[in-house]
Amino acid sequence: MRYVSTRGGAPELSFSDTVLAGLAIDGGLYVPQSWPQLSADLPNDYASLATAVIAPYAAPDINSTTLLGLSRAAYSSFRHEEVVPLVSLEDGHHLMELFHGPTLAFKDVALQLLGQLFDHILSAKNERVRIVGATSGDTGSAAIDGVKHCSNVDIVILYPNGRVSEVQRRQMTTVDSPNVHTIAVDGTFDDCQDLVKAMFNDMPFRERHNLSAVNSINWARIVAQVVYYVEAAHRIGRTIDVTVPTGNFGNVLSGWIAKQMGADIRHLVVASNSNDILTRFFESRDMAVTGVEPTLSPSMDIQVSSNFERLLFEMNDRDGGVTAQQLSRFRSTGHLVLEPDQFSTWIAPTFRAGRCDDDQTLRTIRSVHESTGMLIDPHTAVGVSVARQWSETGVPMVTMATAHPAKFPDAVERATGVRPKLPEHLADLMTLPERTKALPNDLSTVQSYIDSL
Ligand SMILES: *Cc1c(COP(=O)(O)O)cnc(C)c1O
């Protein structure tokens, strides 16, 4: 399998090089040349299914036997034997629980495997990388956990001091591995992101550290997420609809890829909180940028959904030049308008969308608790609320449950009066010693510190 950039101006790469590259040098995102088809008989255990789904994308760089070993290692860190169990919520409506990984959010599904892939690819090449990233909470802890045992990777995560939750901070700062470093920046998440961008643009610094990124545009993350959509359709055994709480469009894009590969999925329902650029787009064909407001589901508080570019490339019949022009117009005007035929071919048959504000999020957490006794997190609640808007009798609905309720205990307690407990394996999180470095929002100070590591 070869990989091409969505902007048409970067060399084709193999799987391994695509995983290490992250972003293409023309600023585009890598996509595979074609969509392999699923075989008719799929294995039942999760690591084997992951191998069956991912192997055609990883060939010829990584063979199936190796991939199975990496998948087993990645998913042995999950606390549920089914890895991503499917549970019944109400008549015809299931939750797929994606939060049984080490940091309690769905990002573990991709980042546990990404850590294994990085270590395998780098040791074969006899190389090391230093991952530098910024986080507003969930990604940083999942990335740290994914690479904490890697011998060829070290990781530096910048987070805004005092602006991530205590659980999120401790999940990063209590990891006792010599290759893990965190920096508490005196600033906002955007300041952290700007520092990271500046370090990637500083070529001598970038080369000195062999910098690498694991953000949500990395192809390995997208392909790892395809597996649980295949699993959901396979396990239910008939055509399903799926609702996905959405931010950067990475998770729902993985669902679209599963459908391209032949998974029996009818509609993909995009669920937004009040930062609803995608829902407005699906309603009007016009993607229009506005500001971001903080909500109870912070991991979905985004302005622009970066992974949408991969779908746009398909809608332009895989013409990277046209895609690049459209995106540059979008950056300068704040609008991206689809042609009617692009909309009717690519969007209307598959995508549905809906929004759910904070009040509705709290009401949904409460109603689920009253009717089932279950506690759901605010991101999952956005999904459940929108899924109920689009459910149709006769077609099972699966909502992707993206975080454990104990990761967002304040919202859950506000809605239900019950404070969700951390699972057993994290019981000591609140007492373990923390290790972090507080630094000012200043590029040269941060770079000198990273040089000193
Ligand atoms: C990251 C995240 C999302 C959004 O996922 P995208 O792939 O960015 O659409 C939703 N819920 C939770 C809990 C997350 O951590």
Side-chain angles (χ1 to χ4, degrees), residues 3-13 23-30:
Y3 289 82
V4 297
S5 164
T6 50
R7 299 192 192 173
E12 282 181 26
L13 298 181
L23 202 66
I25 52 163
D26 60 359
L29 277 52
Y30 275 107

Side-chain angles (χ1 to χ4, degrees), residues 103 105 107 111 134-145 155 157 168 172 214-216 221 248 299 407:
T103 73
K107 292 183 174 72
L111 284 161
T135 189
S136 56
D138 282 352
T139 306
S141 53
I144 285 174
D145 207 283
I155 186 165
I157 293 290
Q168 288 174 327
M172 297 188 278
V214 293
N215 45 22
S216 81
R221 287 182 61 177
N248 272 317
S299 299
K407 195 143 194 186

